[in-house]
Amino acid sequence: MKTRSSLFISLGASLVATALAFTVVELGVRLYSSKAPKRWSDRPRFYFHAPLSRSMQDYTYQVPKPSGRYRIAAIGDSFTFAPYMQFTDTYVKKLEQMLQLSQDTSLIDVINYGVPAYSTSHEIPVVKQAINDGADLLLLQITLNDPEIKHHTPSGLKEHMPDKFGALQLTGALGSIARRWRTLEFVLQRIHNTNTHSAYAEYFLSLYENPRTWKSFKRSMSNLVRIANEHHVPIRAVIFPLFGLPMDSTYPFYSIHKKIADLMEELQVPSLDISPIYKDIPLARLQVIPGVDRHPNEIAHRMAAEEIYLWLEDAGLLPEGTRIVEKFATRLGIDPQRPWIKTRKEE
């Protein structure tokens, strides 16, 4: 009897200890959750549309192009269009602002032809349109999902679109249990995040490993470049990174960046990979809605515009009167300050 009683006592003590441990963990998770940042939004209260503009992309521009005017056409997808942002905050308009610093602002246009969800195959008619509109330079923005094959022509994104790489959405009985048992919710979220990050990397890598999507991308890019060459319009490519994973030593897409750059070199199209400017910057500083939408925000666009400007300036592609005459290293007062000098670190 003593042995059996001792066994029951030990078992009871173990159950109590286990229950106590679960309670402590649950209380700890609830305390951690209570200190999590509250949901907030810094997105525009409303979005404006330029009068007479044919789309939500940009201002309206004269067609045919006025004599003596230089026109840059930015071709791309949602990274160029910039959802959840005012169109005036895109890298396209920031670049235009820099090029219009001279007293004569009638010298140059930088026009946004970006369409959300476009792949490279959809951009071929856009290039034709830009050339017909008088483009003197085609600036092709490349996103790593450009090889996607879509048999329809997108025109934008939809509100509340499902995101297979997004946050965990618990519904039904499991969701009801998880809302009450925070430890379970915490564990499920961590498992989901790990699996999602792996699936995110595998998906984009597969676009460049799958012969079907890669060949489609190469064929579309070749056609696009051929059209530009036939019309004697120079074309330059800018390779953007993905803002869904940190751009540090673990960023898994550097091999894709190189594969795209090699293709551009093969097609004799100079390219700029702007991913180094974002290295080690927290994603929350670069995403348009941190943790929810992975498109680049106003900070990322402004950085891209500066990098593209310097690249075009170095290549001698900017007409006289549009280059920035004075660049300063600081802006701390109303008087001209220490001149900015490009250092080796920034090259």
Side-chain angles (χ1 to χ4, degrees):
M1 290 294 295
K2 287 185 179 181
T3 302
R4 183 175 295 179
S5 297
S6 299
L7 179 62
F8 281 126
I9 291 172
S10 299
L11 180 60
S14 297
L15 291 174
V16 170
T18 301
L20 183 60
F22 271 108
T23 301
V24 170
V25 171
E26 178 70 11
L27 290 174
V29 170
R30 287 177 179 268
L31 179 62
Y32 172 81
S33 300
S34 68
K35 293 183 177 181
K38 303 299 181 183
R39 295 292 293 271
W40 53 269
S41 175
D42 61 2
R43 292 302 84 207
R45 293 180 64 184
F46 60 88
Y47 298 94
F48 45 74
H49 173 260
L52 304 180
S53 175
R54 61 190 176 190
S55 73
M56 293 288 287
Q57 295 160 303
D58 209 325
Y59 299 109
T60 184
Y61 291 91
Q62 286 183 261
V63 178
K65 181 184 65 177
S67 176
R69 197 169 184 86
Y70 191 83
R71 185 160 284 180
I72 299 175
I75 314 293
D77 56 13
S78 55
F79 275 37
T80 292
F81 175 84
Y84 301 106
M85 285 173 46
Q86 302 292 9
F87 76 86
T88 51
D89 288 327
T90 63
Y91 77 86
V92 181
K93 294 294 99 181
K94 291 303 177 188
L95 178 61
E96 184 178 69
Q97 289 170 12
M98 287 188 281
L99 296 173
Q100 290 184 348
L101 288 174
S102 66
Q103 291 183 353
D104 185 1
T105 59
S106 66
L107 291 173
I108 192 164
D109 302 320
V110 186
I111 304 180
N112 193 329
Y113 288 88
V115 181
Y118 263 23
S119 298
T120 304
S121 59
H122 302 110
E123 292 166 357
I124 294 173
V126 180
V127 165
K128 293 178 180 178
Q129 178 190 332
I131 292 173
N132 289 335
D133 289 348
D136 297 290
L137 173 65
L138 297 171
L139 194 62
L140 178 63
Q141 173 262 312
I142 299 176
T143 307
L144 302 193
N145 64 350
D146 278 357
E148 287 179 332
I149 297 174
K150 303 183 181 80
H151 297 293
H152 66 289
T153 301
S155 61
L157 306 176
K158 296 180 181 179
E159 290 188 271
H160 312 301
M161 289 181 67
D163 183 359
K164 59 185 175 182
F165 304 120
L168 176 65
Q169 302 294 330
L170 292 171
T171 58
L174 182 59
S176 180
I177 295 172
R179 282 190 291 274
R180 292 169 174 79
W181 186 7
R182 295 296 182 82
T183 304
L184 174 62
E185 182 183 43
F186 180 84
V187 171
L188 292 176
Q189 284 177 340
R190 292 303 175 272
I191 294 173
H192 173 80
N193 290 346
T194 299
N195 293 338
T196 298
H197 286 177
S198 298
Y200 182 79
E202 289 171 4
Y203 173 75
F204 289 101
L205 289 169
S206 70
L207 291 176
Y208 294 84
E209 294 168 355
N210 185 323
R212 179 168 175 262
T213 49
W214 173 243
K215 287 180 180 178
S216 173
F217 176 68
K218 286 183 65 176
R219 181 171 59 252
S220 298
M221 190 64 72
S222 298
N223 289 335
L224 190 153
V225 172
R226 175 182 53 78
I227 292 167
N229 291 338
E230 286 175 353
H231 289 83
H232 308 289
V233 179
I235 181 170
R236 298 292 183 271
V238 181
I239 305 168
F240 274 67
L242 292 174
F243 294 87
L245 293 174
M247 267 153 282
D248 53 22
S249 59
T250 66
Y251 178 73
F253 305 122
Y254 290 124
S255 60
I256 295 179
H257 287 242
K258 185 177 186 307
K259 190 168 187 177
I260 296 172
D262 289 344
L263 173 61
M264 293 299 103
E265 184 176 2
E266 180 184 324
L267 296 173
Q268 299 182 337
V269 175
S271 65
L272 170 69
D273 182 354
I274 63 170
S275 58
I277 66 175
Y278 303 114
K279 183 174 173 57
D280 296 327
I281 298 178
L283 290 177
R285 291 281 291 168
L286 300 171
Q287 293 177 339
V288 69
I289 306 179
V292 177
D293 191 283
R294 294 176 291 272
H295 286 93
N297 64 8
E298 290 86 347
I299 294 173
H301 274 260
R302 188 261 303 160
M303 294 173 67
E306 292 170 354
E307 194 71 5
I308 292 169
Y309 170 85
L310 293 172
W311 182 53
L312 296 178
E313 183 183 60
D314 287 345
L317 288 171
L318 301 177
E320 288 295 330
T322 64
R323 291 192 289 273
I324 299 173
V325 177
E326 294 181 294
K327 302 186 187 77
F328 297 97
T330 59
R331 185 175 177 272
L332 302 173
I334 62 174
D335 297 320
Q337 299 178 36
R338 177 165 53 90
W340 177 83
I341 300 173
K342 190 173 184 180
T343 64
R344 286 189 177 181
K345 182 181 178 181
E346 293 171 312
E347 291 179 345

